[in-house]
Structures are given as C-alpha cells and as structure tokens.
Amino acid sequence: MMVNCAVASCKNTSAKISKDRDGITFHRFPRDTERRRQWEVAVNREQEWAATSSSTVCSEHFLATDFYLTDNGLRRLIINAVPAINISVCQVPEPTISKLPPIDINPADTEEVIQLKHKVRRLEIIAEDRKRRLNLMWQRKKRLRKKLHRMKCLLKHLVEVKKAKEVES
Ligand SMILES: [Zn+2]
C-alpha cells in the first residue's frame, strides 16, 4: 500500500522514496489520543483534519535524536517524539537523520559488533545535536553582546547630551 506524508507541504510518498536509497522512513500516528492530537496539530493542515489508522509522517520532520534502532536494525521513534522540523516553508530547513551516512556493516561483523556500531551512531547523532544547540547559543550570545554594545553607546550619547544641556542652562 502506498503511504504519503501527512505534512501539508511535504511531497514524500512511499512510491517515490525508499529507506535504502533516500534514508527516509514513514511513521504512523500514535494511537494515544493526546499524542495523536499533538501530531495532527503539528502537521499544519486544516483545522478539521484528522489522521486515519494509515496516516503517516515521514522522518524528515523529526529530529535525528527522536529515533532509535531496534535490535534488528529497524528505525523507530521514541515515545514522545512530535513532528517539529521542515514543516512549513517559513522554517529554516533543518538537517535530518536521512542526511547521515548509513552504518557500515561488514559480513564478518558479529552481532555484538553490529550492536556497538548502532550505539556509536546513536551517540554521533546526540553529539551532532548538542553541537548544533551550542552553535545556536553562541550565535545568540554574539547577538546579545552586539545589542549590549549598542545600548552602551546610546547611554553614553544620552549622558553627553544631558551634560551639554546642563552646561547650556
Ligand atoms: Zn514528510
């Protein structure tokens, strides 16, 4: 059965996309009413729109840290994941799990080695996400510094104006 992504602006369908080629997967809406509602709101469709049992959202709308791999290498979402990125054209496009290179598994790898490789990948994703957040914090700090500098200049200017007026009177 063909599935398509429920995000209004997303054109991904299972007919066009394959996990192996594109690294994109489709994920069904949660059964839990409350979390299901959160997803329905998140996909940015008309107010009355409701998901069906076959509605899905593609992996391009979740943070890489929202995923984990099952013991047999299937990609699953953590329980409280909600679609949050690449939803509206107004959002800054965010990198997703599909942009990560596939895990390199050799035929000679033991089950244990494969598990470890999956664990390493998971840690890589977390590290990447922290790096991104840290970068955003740095940018924010830089902006605040600039703002502070502008405010100081303005204050200095105001003090000078006040002094000049005092001299005049
Ligand atoms: Zn999508």
Side-chain angles (χ1 to χ4, degrees):
M1 192 185 72
M2 196 194 72
V3 291
N4 55 297
C5 177
V7 170
S9 62
C10 185
K11 303 276 182 291
N12 289 342
T13 72
S14 60
K16 281 194 295 188
I17 296 294
S18 95
K19 187 189 176 191
D20 295 336
R21 196 188 55 222
D22 309 292
I24 295 172
T25 42
F26 293 87
H27 302 270
R28 284 215 183 88
F29 278 65
R31 283 204 200 99
D32 175 79
T33 335
E34 199 178 310
R35 287 192 297 115
R36 190 186 186 82
R37 192 62 209 140
Q38 286 181 332
W39 280 42
E40 285 172 345
V41 172
V43 295
N44 205 20
R45 302 182 72 110
E46 54 277 25
Q47 195 100 53
E48 327 77 76
W49 185 83
T52 67
S53 57
S54 58
S55 298
T56 65
V57 172
C58 81
S59 52
E60 294 295 276
H61 313 288
F62 297 92
L63 297 171
T65 45
D66 283 342
F67 297 98
Y68 69 94
L69 288 164
T70 63
D71 289 345
N72 39 23
L74 285 173
R75 187 196 282 170
R76 292 268 163 78
L77 282 169
I78 55 171
I79 187 127
N80 53 358
V82 176
I85 57 171
N86 306 316
I87 285 178
S88 125
V89 284
C90 308
Q91 279 178 312
V92 181
E94 296 243 22
T96 59
I97 198 164
S98 65
K99 307 295 183 290
L100 293 164
I103 298 171
D104 172 38
I105 292 167
N106 301 317
D109 286 348
T110 61
E111 195 55 41
E112 207 183 354
V113 170
I114 294 171
Q115 292 277 329
L116 280 171
K117 281 183 175 175
H118 283 308
K119 265 190 195 150
V120 168
R121 166 49 54 85
R122 170 107 186 110
L123 290 172
E124 277 172 356
I125 292 170
I126 293 171
E128 207 40 56
D129 190 58
R130 300 231 166 113
K131 216 162 83 188
R132 194 177 59 86
R133 278 173 211 228
L134 208 60
N135 253 328
L136 286 174
M137 269 163 66
W138 270 106
Q139 281 167 17
R140 205 174 300 151
K141 193 178 156 197
K142 247 167 57 189
R143 276 201 303 272
L144 282 171
R145 276 231 170 112
K146 270 190 193 156
K147 202 172 168 187
L148 185 67
H149 181 73
R150 277 201 307 272
M151 300 279 263
K152 274 186 179 164
C153 282
L154 188 68
L155 195 65
K156 212 170 126 192
H157 174 73
L158 285 172
V159 169
E160 273 161 18
V161 169
K162 193 168 175 263
K163 269 190 194 154
K165 274 196 180 151
E166 277 167 3
V167 171
E168 270 171 36
S169 58

